[in-house]
Amino acid sequence: MTDRPIPDIIYTKVDEAPQLASASLLPIIRSFAAAAGVSVGVRDISLAGRIIAAFPERLTEAQRQPDDLAELGALVTTPTANVVKLPNISASVPQLLAAVKELQGQGYDLPDYPEDPKTEAEREARRRYDAIKGSAVNPVLREGNSDRRAAVAVKNYAKANPHSMGEWRPDSKTRVSTMSGGDFRSNETSVTLSAAQAGAARIEHVAPDGTVTVLKDKVTYHEGTVVDATFMSVAALRTFLAEQIALSKREGVLFSVHLKATMMKVSDPIIFGHAVRAFLAPVFEAHGPALAAAGADPNAGLGVMLERIAEMPEGKAILAEIEAVMAERPPLYMVNSDKGITNLHVPSDVIIDASIPALIRAGGKGWGPDGKAQDTNCVVPDSSYAAVYDETVAYFKQTGALDPATAGTVQNIGLMAQKAEEYGSHPTTFEIPADGTVRLIAANGDVLHQHKVQKGDIWRAAATRKAPIEDWVRLAISRQKAEGCQAIFWLDATRAHDAQLINYVRPILDAAGVADKFQILAPREATRLSLETIRKGETSIAITGNVLRDYLTDLFPILELGTSAKMLSIVKLMQGGGLFETGAGGSAPKHVQQLMEEGHLRWDSLGEFCALGESLKFQADLSGNEKARVLGRAVDVATQGVLDHDKSPKGRVGQTDNRDSHFYFALYWAQALAAQSEDAALAAHFAPIAKALAENEAKIVAELAADQGKAADLGGYYHTDPAKTAAVMRPSPTFNAIIG
Ligand SMILES: NC(=O)C1=CN([C@@H]2O[C@H](COP(=O)(O)OP(=O)(O)OC[C@H]3O[C@@H](n4cnc5c(N)ncnc54)[C@H](OP(=O)(O)O)[C@@H]3O)[C@@H](O)[C@H]2O)C=CC1
Ligand SMILES: O=C(O)CCC(=O)C(=O)O
Ligand SMILES: [Mg+2]
């Protein structure tokens, strides 16, 4: 923790495309906010920044960085937090390895990531890297529940300018396949803790001979917390994966696996590894121990595996065997068919929240190895939420694709605070070392859960605290009241965890006298009804747990708006502060590649505009500085202007890009401020700026376009050079001079 002054608004430094966008947008925001006496500071939550902050003792004074994430984690529990949170990388092992290598190349004396730590120093390095891996940022900052929806202006724009949608045919062979038993959904048990059971719980493994091994001690649970436990049977998973590979081949469709290896950072890389093993089963049967000895770990994906195998003495022969097996297998769904990158190369390349919606938007087509779009088997091993996608696919096969010109909208109120549900389960998830029983024992000795497990099974416990649940239901009530529309709790009374939540939900709705305004439906039924509702052009509010929050806030926006980047995403922090997330999507690695190769950045900052407007208005509420509200309202006008004048970035080089859209955003923002009559001083300040921007439009646009079509040098990927990045992202001296 540092004693730096806390700025009014904290803007986060992140990775990849949104960080490049910030290099252009943030100077504009800071300049405009200063005129209203609002300070905007930056805290670094990028992957590279978090790595650097983790090893201060190995770095020079100049290289060191404070632990900004820890500072923000504390700040979000205070009533005055006002944070604009951009999407950051949730790193898989291959991303972490690449970032460390890049930093080492820049002179940072960081330890290698110890794949198989042996010494105490290696174990310590591994511990620090593991804390950086996966979704290590969002769960720390999300001290509130989630409210995600399309702003009215954004939704109206999408209807007036519908994106293209792939055709859905009734004879499409695309399908969603999930386990029918032995998975997390089937094995789940759940309890709500009594006062006596609250306190430090223990998770232990009991071997058949009675030997007890503590897996985790001192897991603190509060009274009223819903505690679930479950496991994925590895035997059932293996059988299922083998069946799906055979089925895909038989049906002549692409094989694809969709997981969330980032947020489910312990369980899902293991499941991913099983998919790699199943696909290359004959190779693992023949060379299993040698592959393990060489560090060819399937959990890190085929990409790292192929690199390690190439270093083995017998590498050539094994690679030839892999090629022969692949030729016999069904074609794989590809991440990049030009470069031969398959679904199985990197665990974080195919992330279910974005991957299946994109496939559905395309009419159920995925990219095959030949670069052609094909019908696909979407394998979602755990059945907890697969029905959402299965029902969506079934609905579009029956009724044809959705029409974004007439579609209504599904908003989301997500139970997310304080590491709710599965997304907070990684510290209590274990790959079981030996056959036996796993027990979760409450502070008072009650056995809350027990499961008979086999070696290799994945066991996990998840917790959902009482205060966040109550806050979530209240948020749903207030949103339903504001919209007056259909509102559905997506909860399945036949599922153990959901049944406990329903016990909370019903009494709160009854006490508020609003039970008749809400339905409680299982995910499949809720999906069908929501799709029918938006087909009629109407609105539905989906009130969901954490995982469905994540899935639905990509699924519906991608169908309705073409992308989830345009979402308004507000986290009302439980202690009173505000966290304004930008969009509902990720950091778009493909966009960086395009900028580096062609000098065109297609990232759309509409999510940042939406978050900024909310953050400024919230700042006025917090501080009484009404100038901040004027600034925030003008942001809304500017955002509308960008949409109305069609100044959002487009896909191809030479078209409007991110930098152009920021110029127009600044122009419309300044014009709105000059035109408003609430604050004369602000109007006087911005009038000459608006005039200068308007008069120099052609010149600025030409300066911004000068480097389009040329390769761009950012001085790094994970840890870019600020001067080089500024040169690429702020290429107009005229614009920069006016902004000052
Ligand atoms: N909140 C957070 O911090 C989140 C972080 N992530 C992280 O992001 C990385 C990439 O994740 P991935 O699942 O591939 O998802 P992304 O959302 O980054 O990429 C999927 C696609 O979404 C579209 N997209 C997303 N945002 C924008 C935008 N602002 N403007 C235009 N298009 C956009 C693009 O598709 P198209 O060009 O087809 O429109 C993009 O190629 C991972 O490291 C992941 O962990 C992911 C989700 C949330
Ligand atoms: O934290 C992450 O890794 C991803 C978050 C995400 O996808 C979301 O909140 O929608
Ligand atoms: Mg998501």
Side-chain angles (χ1 to χ4, degrees):
M1 193 76 36
T2 61
D3 45 17
R4 285 175 290 175
I6 299 172
D8 296 324
I9 295 176
I10 291 182
Y11 207 80
T12 46
K13 175 169 189 228
V14 291
D15 315 272
E16 296 182 326
Q19 184 49 31
L20 295 173
S22 293
S24 154
L25 183 58
L26 190 55
I28 301 169
I29 295 174
R30 285 181 128 159
S31 160
F32 278 52
V38 174
S39 59
V40 181
V42 174
R43 294 293 183 272
D44 186 350
I45 54 170
S46 68
L47 176 58
R50 288 181 285 128
I51 294 172
I52 291 169
F55 295 95
E57 76 283 4
R58 301 181 60 119
L59 304 179
T60 66
E61 187 57 41
Q63 289 172 329
R64 273 180 215 154
Q65 271 189 216
D67 186 346
D68 284 3
L69 178 59
E71 184 189 339
L72 286 183
L75 182 73
V76 290
T77 63
T78 66
T80 55
N82 187 350
V83 181
V84 177
K85 158 71 176 64
L86 281 74
N88 60 284
I89 289 179
S90 294
S92 61
V93 170
Q95 287 170 300
L96 187 61
L97 294 176
V100 170
K101 194 169 166 197
E102 178 176 321
L103 286 165
Q104 288 169 335
Q106 294 175 350
Y108 288 78
D109 175 32
L110 295 164
D112 287 330
Y113 175 79
E115 308 209 4
D116 182 20
K118 295 205 169 66
T119 66
E120 193 38 53
E122 284 176 352
R123 275 190 288 273
E124 173 60 17
R126 177 66 186 256
R127 198 184 56 71
R128 292 193 206 175
Y129 279 131
D130 281 351
I132 294 167
K133 236 165 45 182
S135 304
V137 172
N138 285 324
V140 173
L141 301 185
R142 290 172 168 174
E143 276 290 317
N145 291 308
S146 153
D147 171 4
R148 287 183 178 178
R149 58 198 135 98
V152 175
V154 172
K155 181 65 190 166
N156 287 340
Y157 174 85
K159 286 171 131 176
N161 304 273
H163 60 276
S164 68
M165 290 279 262
E167 188 197 355
W168 266 101
R169 298 172 51 92
D171 61 352
S172 164
K173 285 194 278 180
T174 289
R175 56 183 287 157
V176 176
S177 303
T178 192
M179 292 170 74
S180 54
D183 62 343
F184 291 126
R185 165 69 170 82
S186 318
N187 292 323
E188 185 176 82
T189 50
S190 182
V191 289
T192 301
L193 296 203
S194 67
Q197 290 167 328
R202 182 171 82 249
I203 301 169
E204 59 185 33
H205 175 272
V206 189
D209 68 0
T211 312
V212 174
T213 312
V214 174
L215 297 175
K216 191 155 181 101
D217 212 355
K218 302 194 184 80
V219 187
T220 305
Y221 294 129
H222 297 81
E223 179 189 355
T225 298
V226 175
V227 178
D228 324 319
T230 186
F231 71 101
M232 167 75 79
S233 154
V234 71
L237 175 64
R238 285 191 182 138
T239 305
F240 167 75
L241 289 167
E243 282 167 5
Q244 291 309 318
I245 292 166
L247 181 144
S248 307
K249 174 98 183 175
R250 229 172 29 243
E251 301 255 306
V253 294
L254 302 177
F255 175 84
S256 66
V257 183
H258 302 263
L259 292 162
K260 186 91 184 180
T262 48
M263 291 202 104
M264 301 304 297
K265 68 175 169 182
V266 178
S267 59
D268 284 21
I270 300 172
I271 297 174
F272 181 85
H274 283 297
V276 175
R277 280 175 194 278
F279 210 78
L280 297 178
V283 180
F284 279 94
E285 273 154 33
H287 306 285
L291 292 174
D297 176 10
N299 297 11
L302 197 53
V304 171
M305 266 189 71
L306 293 176
E307 281 173 29
R308 296 286 179 280
I309 294 171
E311 292 158 7
M312 293 167 73
E314 68 274 46
K316 266 213 170 89
I318 299 179
L319 290 176
E321 282 178 51
I322 290 180
E323 221 166 282
V325 172
M326 297 281 260
E328 288 301 310
R329 292 304 200 193
L332 275 170
Y333 161 98
M334 301 299 282
V335 169
N336 185 331
S337 54
D338 293 342
K339 298 195 170 145
I341 303 186
T342 71
N343 184 179
L344 299 178
H345 267 64
V346 182
S348 61
D349 270 356
V350 176
I351 309 184
I352 184 167
D353 54 345
S355 60
I356 296 190
L359 187 138
I360 293 175
R361 178 183 58 187
K365 304 282 183 188
W367 297 102
D370 56 2
K372 294 201 181 105
Q374 288 178 48
D375 288 348
T376 305
N377 182 11
C378 301
V379 175
V380 181
D382 178 43
S383 64
S384 300
Y385 306 105
V388 169
Y389 300 121
D390 187 49
E391 191 64 21
T392 305
V393 165
Y395 179 73
F396 288 138
K397 278 190 205 174
Q398 285 163 12
T399 63
L402 192 73
D403 179 1
T406 55
T409 191
V410 178
Q411 308 183 342
N412 182 269
I413 296 297
L415 171 53
M416 171 172 89
Q418 300 178 350
K419 306 180 177 69
E421 303 183 324
E422 295 95 321
Y423 282 172
S425 68
H426 63 264
T428 48
T429 303
F430 307 94
E431 188 168 26
I432 298 302
D435 292 3
T437 302
V438 177
R439 298 199 296 223
L440 199 164
I441 301 173
N444 69 349
D446 287 359
V447 177
L448 297 176
H449 300 291
Q450 65 178 334
H451 293 105
K452 214 166 168 312
V453 291
Q454 291 181 313
K455 181 175 166 26
D457 287 353
I458 308 163
W459 187 95
R460 74 167 185 231
T464 317
R465 291 175 63 172
K466 178 180 177 179
I469 299 171
E470 292 173 343
D471 178 81
W472 168 67
V473 182
R474 284 194 297 268
L475 188 58
I477 292 172
S478 78
R479 285 296 310 149
Q480 194 283 330
K481 196 169 168 202
E483 296 285 340
C485 66
Q486 170 173 293
I488 304 170
F489 281 88
W490 292 44
L491 295 171
D492 180 353
T494 70
R495 179 179 162 195
H497 168 77
D498 289 9
Q500 300 295 314
L501 282 196
I502 291 171
N503 290 341
Y504 269 109
V505 171
R506 286 200 197 280
I508 302 176
L509 295 181
D510 286 338
V514 294
D516 60 327
K517 306 262 190 284
F518 293 86
Q519 301 181 61
I520 298 179
L521 294 177
R524 182 181 296 281
E525 287 69 40
T527 301
R528 173 66 63 153
L529 179 56
S530 301
L531 287 167
E532 287 168 354
T533 304
I534 59 172
R535 178 83 86 185
K536 286 189 285 187
E538 293 167 11
T539 303
S540 188
I541 303 177
I543 309 149
T544 69
N546 209 350
V547 174
L548 281 180
R549 165 199 64 77
D550 182 23
Y551 291 9
L552 301 193
T553 60
D554 268 333
L555 176 62
F556 290 110
I558 285 173
L559 298 177
E560 295 170 24
L561 314 173
T563 170
S564 59
K566 302 183 175 179
M567 294 297 277
L568 177 61
S569 189
I570 299 173
V571 185
K572 203 163 165 283
L573 296 170
M574 286 174 57
Q575 310 299 328
L579 175 70
F580 303 92
E581 299 196 25
T582 64
S587 52
K590 273 192 283 181
H591 296 201
V592 188
Q593 203 182 328
Q594 190 185 15
L595 177 75
M596 288 172 34
E597 288 167 7
E598 312 180 336
H600 179 86
L601 183 64
R602 65 176 303 195
W603 176 263
D604 188 334
S605 295
L606 196 58
E608 286 100 293
F609 302 160
C610 290
L612 175 66
E614 294 301 313
S615 168
L616 284 165
K617 286 178 255 173
F618 183 66
Q619 187 56 32
D621 293 339
L622 278 182
S623 65
N625 175 1
E626 286 304 315
K627 286 180 188 294
R629 196 180 314 281
V630 174
L631 218 59
R633 289 204 184 122
V635 165
D636 295 344
V637 178
T639 306
Q640 184 76 57
V642 170
L643 293 173
D644 289 346
H645 297 94
D646 196 19
K647 298 300 182 191
S648 295
K650 306 226 166 17
R652 278 188 298 281
V653 65
Q655 296 180 309
T656 307
D657 93 344
N658 179 264
R659 293 161 289 194
D660 303 305
S661 76
H662 293 168
F663 161 69
Y664 284 103
F665 175 71
L667 171 64
Y668 303 141
W669 195 8
Q671 286 175 337
L673 286 162
Q676 53 79 34
S677 54
E678 289 158 281
D679 188 306
L682 277 181
H685 176 86
F686 280 100
I689 297 175
K691 186 163 176 281
L693 290 172
E695 283 172 0
N696 287 285
E697 175 180 346
K699 187 170 177 210
I700 291 172
V701 170
E703 288 172 357
L704 291 174
D707 287 331
Q708 278 234 20
K710 298 181 199 152
D713 174 16
L714 304 168
Y717 184 89
Y718 294 98
H719 194 237
T720 53
D721 179 303
K724 287 184 177 174
T725 306
V728 171
M729 291 307 301
R730 307 188 69 205
S732 166
T734 310
F735 184 32
N736 299 347
I738 299 170
I739 293 306

